[in-house]
Amino acid sequence: MFRRQLLAAALGTALLIAPFTVAQAWESEVEALKQRWEQITTLRAEGQRRHSLKSLSDEAERLVQANPGEAQPLIWYGIIEASHARERSGLGALGSARSARDALERAIEIDPQGGNGSAYVTLGALYDRAPGRPVGFGNSATAERMFQRALQIRPDGIDVNYYYATFLEDEGRRDEAREHAQRAVDGTAREDRQASDEALREQARALLSQL
């Protein structure tokens, strides 16, 4: 009887621990992807990132397939693939941009906060930069809606304010662009995105000096 009780207790403990262990496994993999993305995008020169981003995107896609229904792997696949799109050209770039968009929109369906706004920022940039129909999916109104959603979630974010400022400049709304460039310069860098946020802060300073 005692042995059965001991076995049942051990099994119950294992069942309680198992979900936590699985969650920790994909979370640590997402963290590793994030760190490598930071290194590639901030330490390597433009033109030297494409191959590394392709490999990282493939890893992120496998993580998504292994963890269906989880928002964070989708968000990081979308962010990485969006960066990969910027390093490509022609139809290849558009294909990567579409893959990034689809992943991020799926992530938002799961997590309406979009990973503390990160999904919305990247979607805004994608809708801003992609060519319009019939070739692509670019749409200024959708881009602005995504940026506004990100600002509601993280109004002091360096990334959202910088990318929104560049969008506003392209739209000819220079006063608003100046305001958001300044907010990017004054914004708070995230602890887990320190390098990329500080790089964007410098770009915001450069943009502010032009406006």
Side-chain angles (χ1 to χ4, degrees), residues 4-209:
R4 287 180 188 168
Q5 291 173 340
L6 189 62
L7 182 60
L11 182 59
T13 302
L15 289 172
L16 287 171
I17 292 173
F20 176 78
T21 304
V22 171
Q24 287 296 102
W26 70 254
E27 285 173 5
S28 64
E29 289 183 68
V30 165
E31 186 61 31
L33 290 171
K34 185 191 305 182
Q35 290 175 5
R36 287 167 59 195
W37 174 84
E38 285 258 311
Q39 292 169 354
I40 293 167
T41 57
T42 61
L43 299 179
R44 297 193 186 182
E46 191 173 349
Q48 298 179 355
R49 304 169 187 157
R50 180 174 171 179
H51 177 74
S52 297
L53 285 168
K54 174 65 169 67
S55 297
L56 197 63
S57 178
D58 289 344
E59 288 184 39
E61 187 173 21
R62 287 193 290 272
L63 187 60
V64 167
Q65 292 169 351
N67 297 275
E70 296 290 351
Q72 281 297 316
L74 278 165
I75 288 170
W76 274 96
Y77 170 65
I79 290 172
I80 293 164
E81 188 65 357
S83 296
H84 182 218
R86 287 197 292 271
E87 299 295 318
R88 304 182 73 185
S89 59
L91 292 177
L94 187 56
S96 288
R98 282 199 178 99
S99 296
R101 176 202 62 184
D102 292 348
L104 292 165
E105 289 181 344
R106 282 165 55 203
I108 287 169
E109 290 176 3
I110 299 166
D111 170 20
Q113 292 294 301
N116 197 27
S118 293
Y120 293 101
V121 178
T122 308
L123 278 169
L126 286 166
Y127 276 104
D128 177 27
R129 294 173 177 174
R133 295 181 184 278
V135 176
F137 60 87
N139 186 290
S140 294
T142 304
E144 179 146 30
R145 190 164 65 250
M146 295 297 104
F147 287 132
Q148 288 291 343
R149 181 69 180 112
L151 283 167
Q152 290 171 4
I153 295 169
R154 194 157 35 84
D156 64 343
I158 295 172
D159 56 339
V160 59
N161 281 290
Y162 169 71
Y163 286 117
Y164 189 38
T166 63
F167 166 81
L168 291 166
E169 183 193 24
D170 289 342
E171 294 288 302
R173 295 156 61 182
R174 291 176 64 86
D175 289 344
E176 293 172 86
R178 192 177 296 110
E179 175 192 345
H180 285 280
Q182 185 64 62
R183 286 171 65 175
V185 170
D186 297 338
T188 304
R190 291 162 289 180
E191 288 186 12
D192 62 340
R193 302 274 291 276
Q194 192 86 27
S196 58
D197 277 352
E198 291 300 342
L200 289 177
R201 195 196 304 275
E202 289 305 309
Q203 293 180 51
R205 285 195 179 100
L207 175 61
L208 193 58
S209 69

